[in-house]
Amino acid sequence: MVLLQEILVFITFSIALGYLTTKFIWKPAFLKKKKEKTKACGVSGCGCN
């Protein structure tokens, strides 16, 4: 029973550490928000006719 508790604590700690790492230190490419592209000529009113 003690071994099972230690495994669950280790898994919980690993998940928490992974969450904090991706939240504050390193953001993987699949978690980044995609920006909208609005640089089409005539759409944004930039005067590039």
Side-chain angles (χ1 to χ4, degrees):
M1 190 69 171
V2 174
L3 181 63
L4 180 63
Q5 288 177 343
E6 290 178 2
I7 291 172
L8 291 175
V9 167
F10 178 74
I11 289 172
T12 305
F13 179 74
S14 298
I15 291 171
L17 186 63
Y19 171 76
L20 290 175
T21 302
T22 56
K23 179 82 173 164
F24 296 112
I25 299 173
W26 175 68
K27 296 198 186 250
F30 61 88
L31 290 179
K32 291 183 181 178
K33 294 180 181 178
K34 296 182 180 178
K35 296 179 182 177
E36 295 180 16
K37 295 181 181 179
T38 59
K39 295 199 176 198
C41 191
V43 175
S44 62
C46 63
C48 59
N49 291 334

